[in-house]
Amino acid sequence: MTEQRIALVTGANKGIGYEIVAQLAERGMTVLLGARDDKRREQAVTALREAGHGNVHGVALDVTDPATVRAAAATVEERFGRLDVLVNNAGISGGLDQAPSSVDPAVFRAVFDVNVIGVLTVTNAMLPLLRRSGAPRIVNMSSGVGSLAAMSDPDGPLAQMPPSAAYVPSKTALNSLTVQYAKELGKDGVLVNAADPGWVATDFTDHRAPRTPRQGAAIVVRLATLGADGPTGGFFNDDGPVPW
């Protein structure tokens, strides 16, 4: 894994995604910063380059729009011929009122469209390019709330979290999808894992969390740079495996 590696990070114009791009670039990778908003994407790329990361490039990518996903894959193929790392970071919360008895089905669909179906769409579009890599890695941005064990523990730290019928189940579904990809792609040498960044101060949490985006990005970067003997089909935070 000494050659310059090519990585794509979705939803990366701010927050943890931005820091993932920065840390992968620090490790010498060429990083494609995927984001749907043209202005914010280019602002992020400019800021990263001014910080010394000249190997960062913007790619128009809306995970809910298959046309932009196909176009992004075509761009990667034309410019680089392969992809070594895919980080499915794009995600939405769906807002605060997600009690199962009152959640708007439209919110449920929108959250799953980005957080689960978007991952499927992007991953499948990039798989032909990942299969050309000598050491392909896929990392899906999950959350500790996606752990059924943690959410059902009456004495655990998540016990007081309000019920969520959209965001939380979307991350549980993403974890399951991660396992299924790992099962299918193991024969191709693709390591596929889910990452729990912890409670991070971003727009997602209204910046009311103890961890920085840089700290939250660390586990993703670790999984994105696993050696050939690394795990696959797992769910990890900074301390190790997270209970399903």
Side-chain angles (χ1 to χ4, degrees), residues 21-241:
V21 172
Q23 290 185 37
L24 292 177
E26 287 170 5
R27 285 157 176 76
M29 292 191 190
T30 293
V31 190
L32 306 178
L33 188 157
R36 62 184 178 179
D37 186 286
D38 294 340
K39 182 178 180 180
R40 291 177 180 177
R41 182 179 63 251
E42 293 312 312
Q43 287 175 337
V45 170
T46 298
L48 286 161
R49 288 181 175 175
E50 289 177 349
H53 304 309
N55 52 345
V56 172
H57 308 273
V59 176
L61 180 57
D62 179 344
V63 303
T64 67
D65 181 355
T68 73
V69 174
R70 289 192 298 268
T75 297
V76 177
E77 180 168 24
E78 179 181 353
R79 296 185 62 180
F80 305 104
R82 74 175 198 283
L83 185 65
D84 300 296
V85 174
L86 171 62
V87 178
N88 287 304
N89 170 74
I92 62 173
S93 70
L96 297 177
D97 183 12
Q98 295 188 16
S101 61
S102 59
V103 68
D104 184 342
V107 170
F108 185 91
R109 292 188 186 97
V111 171
F112 268 71
D113 197 21
V114 175
N115 296 1
V116 185
I117 299 172
V119 171
L120 185 84
T121 303
V122 173
T123 301
N124 289 351
M126 300 299 165
L127 269 178
L129 298 165
L130 286 160
R131 286 190 169 109
R132 297 176 189 171
S133 171
R137 307 288 178 260
I138 299 173
V139 186
N140 295 330
M141 179 62 81
S142 186
S143 166
V145 303
S147 166
L148 290 171
M151 289 299 292
S152 60
D153 180 358
D155 299 317
L158 300 179
Q160 302 306 313
M161 181 177 175
S164 165
Y167 179 74
V168 169
S170 78
K171 292 305 182 180
T172 305
L174 178 61
N175 288 348
S176 181
L177 183 62
T178 299
V179 172
Q180 301 311 310
Y181 269 120
K183 286 167 66 73
E184 179 183 2
L185 301 177
K187 64 183 184 301
D188 299 323
V190 186
L191 302 186
V192 189
N193 292 288
D196 168 18
W199 194 23
V200 177
T202 65
D203 290 349
F204 226 63
T205 60
D206 199 25
H207 297 273
R208 298 176 181 176
R211 288 168 62 80
T212 66
R214 188 167 184 83
Q215 289 172 319
I219 182 58
V220 177
V221 173
R222 187 188 311 169
L223 294 172
T225 55
L226 288 171
D229 60 346
T232 190
F235 182 24
F236 301 93
N237 63 17
D238 286 345
D239 297 325

